[in-house]
Amino acid sequence: MKTQLLEADSMWLEYNGKKILQSIYIKMETGKVTGLLGRNGTGKSSLLRMIFGTLRGQNQSVRINGEYIAKPYLHAGIIRYLPQSNFMPKNLKVNHLCELYRVRFQDVTDHFPEFDKYEKHLLGKLSGGEIRLIETLLILLSPVHFVLLDEPFTHVSPLMVEKLSTVIHEQKENKGILLSDHAYQHVTDLSDDLYMIVPIGRSVLLKNPEQDIKSLGYTS
Amino acid sequence: MMKQRLQAILYFYQSVGLVTGLISLTLWIIAQLPLSEDFQRFLPLYLILKAVTDFLLWRYLRKHHQVQLFFYTNLGISELRLYMSAFLLDLAAFFVVIAIIKLFLSI
């Protein structure tokens, strides 16, 4: 399969004159997990939404294989986005959600056999952690080239985080995955390339993640 | 993908249709249940009020349930398309109800 390339360039975002993002370049490609780190409030979620196409900044350029696309989410088969908080309707059944997102329920249970019993359950009947996992899996297993995961490990138990990490690792074979989470050790372990957003709104590609994370003040 | 998008739009309409449908019926009742020629006179005012009330509903959902919109954008449905589709479905449903009432009264 031909490698697909997504570049987010010159991303510039201000709210009420306050600069959030001003000099961002991020490259994703199929076959790789790209990690995104940054302190709270540095604009990671905003950046993901700008790449997805639902948030317009003062300036932005998202190119796929070199071709500018204003709103990638409008094009079928290109990109899906997992927001930080729950977003799927609680009164739809799990198998119906799979059908809408064109994900085989079998693929979900291949990775998480414990979900087999939930096939015809309403999403709202599951626990908070299970809902989060289902949402993450539906995005991750979607038939698209790129997925953007914002805090996929939130509310997920350590055992499930390990299993989810395995799915992410498997899915990168035919997808480009952008992963942002405060569980930075998981992000660094899974990522092939790692970016950090540093004040004020600049992206830095980390050459030596362990060392750079400390020197940029993300950890002590 | 079209099938999935259509299903998602219908699901969205189901989730707001009761409220918007009640708004339509309330406006119609306030206007003293117009039918035939009276309904044609009522129509422009109805469309304006309907656009205003749906706009307010859109603002409310945008403010309080914005993250839920990602369910639809992930299916390639823009916010504008989602609300316009729901608006048109709502008008269609209202006209069908009025037509049925008119038919019933004429029997």
Side-chain angles (χ1 to χ4, degrees):
Chain A
M1 193 181 79
K2 188 187 163 218
T3 302
Q4 303 285 318
L5 187 71
L6 185 153
E7 292 168 286
D9 194 5
S10 309
M11 310 300 267
W12 187 291
L13 179 70
E14 290 182 18
Y15 283 123
N16 302 322
K18 187 187 171 197
K19 288 188 179 79
I20 309 293
L21 303 169
Q22 57 175 329
S23 178
I24 298 284
Y25 176 84
I26 281 184
K27 186 171 81 172
M28 299 170 64
E29 59 187 285
T30 50
K32 283 188 175 181
V33 174
T34 304
L36 181 65
L37 297 175
R39 290 182 188 177
N40 289 331
T42 48
K44 299 186 297 297
S45 295
S46 296
L47 176 60
L48 264 54
R49 289 175 188 200
M50 286 173 78
I51 295 172
F52 186 55
T54 50
L55 177 64
R56 302 301 293 173
Q58 280 66 27
N59 191 54
Q60 63 197 76
S61 171
V62 176
R63 298 185 298 272
I64 293 174
N65 301 323
E67 189 186 336
Y68 170 78
I69 296 185
K71 293 182 177 179
Y73 77 92
L74 290 178
H75 301 261
I78 290 193
I79 197 164
R80 279 194 177 157
Y81 166 61
L82 176 79
Q84 264 183 30
S85 41
N86 293 339
F87 71 102
M88 288 200 169
K90 305 272 190 307
N91 53 351
L92 284 182
K93 289 180 180 169
V94 173
N95 61 341
H96 191 193
L97 290 167
C98 288
E99 196 184 309
L100 287 172
Y101 271 56
R102 294 170 72 201
V103 172
R104 286 177 348 123
F105 182 71
Q106 177 75 46
D107 290 342
V108 173
T109 55
D110 282 350
H111 294 99
F112 289 85
E114 55 271 47
F115 285 162
D116 196 35
K117 60 181 181 285
Y118 294 140
E119 183 175 8
K120 292 184 178 169
H121 279 51
L122 295 176
L123 186 69
K125 296 286 181 193
L126 278 59
S127 73
E130 288 168 335
I131 290 173
R132 187 63 180 163
L133 257 179
I134 290 284
E135 289 182 340
T136 306
L137 287 168
L138 287 183
I139 295 296
L140 200 47
L141 300 172
S142 288
V144 293
H145 292 310
F146 301 100
V147 294
L148 312 172
L149 304 178
D150 198 355
E151 305 274 352
F153 303 129
T154 306
H155 305 307
V156 178
S157 67
L159 180 65
M160 294 300 175
V161 168
E162 275 181 38
K163 291 175 84 171
L164 186 56
S165 299
T166 307
V167 184
I168 291 173
H169 189 71
E170 279 175 22
Q171 286 299 309
K172 79 169 185 181
E173 203 172 300
N174 48 20
K175 286 187 180 78
I177 299 170
L178 184 60
L179 176 62
S180 176
D181 204 287
H182 285 295
Y184 75 94
Q185 200 60 58
H186 292 300
V187 177
T188 51
D189 290 348
L190 281 164
S191 298
D192 299 284
D193 295 323
L194 191 58
Y195 290 88
M196 182 177 287
I197 300 185
V198 297
I200 304 171
R202 291 182 300 116
S203 62
V204 178
L205 176 63
L206 307 185
K207 302 283 185 196
N208 185 347
E210 291 290 326
Q211 202 177 324
D212 294 345
I213 283 172
K214 281 184 186 171
S215 64
L216 290 167
Y218 187 69
T219 60
S220 54
Chain B
M1 200 64 220
M2 276 310 291
K3 183 185 158 203
Q4 282 84 0
R5 285 179 183 165
L6 196 60
Q7 281 181 339
I9 287 170
L10 286 173
Y11 169 75
F12 177 74
Y13 178 62
Q14 277 175 19
S15 65
V16 298
L18 184 65
V19 174
T20 56
L22 280 173
I23 290 171
S24 288
L25 284 177
T26 306
L27 293 174
W28 186 64
I29 291 166
I30 290 171
Q32 298 179 329
L33 318 178
L35 289 168
S36 302
E37 289 84 18
D38 289 344
F39 185 77
Q40 285 172 24
R41 279 192 290 275
F42 162 69
L43 200 53
L45 181 64
Y46 166 74
L47 288 174
I48 291 168
L49 289 172
K50 190 82 184 105
V52 171
T53 52
D54 279 25
F55 175 75
L56 293 174
L57 181 70
W58 168 67
R59 290 295 299 260
Y60 170 80
L61 291 174
R62 201 162 207 253
K63 189 171 179 187
H64 298 285
H65 300 279
Q66 195 179 23
V67 77
Q68 273 77 28
L69 288 174
F70 287 112
F71 174 68
Y72 303 97
T73 49
N74 269 314
L75 291 168
I77 305 166
S78 70
E79 204 177 334
L80 181 67
R81 186 173 169 189
L82 187 66
Y83 285 105
M84 282 306 292
S85 303
F87 180 72
L88 293 174
L89 280 170
D90 203 35
L91 289 186
F94 179 61
F95 293 148
V96 167
V97 168
I98 296 299
I100 290 170
I101 291 171
K102 195 177 165 191
L103 191 68
F104 181 74
L105 291 176
S106 65
I107 292 172

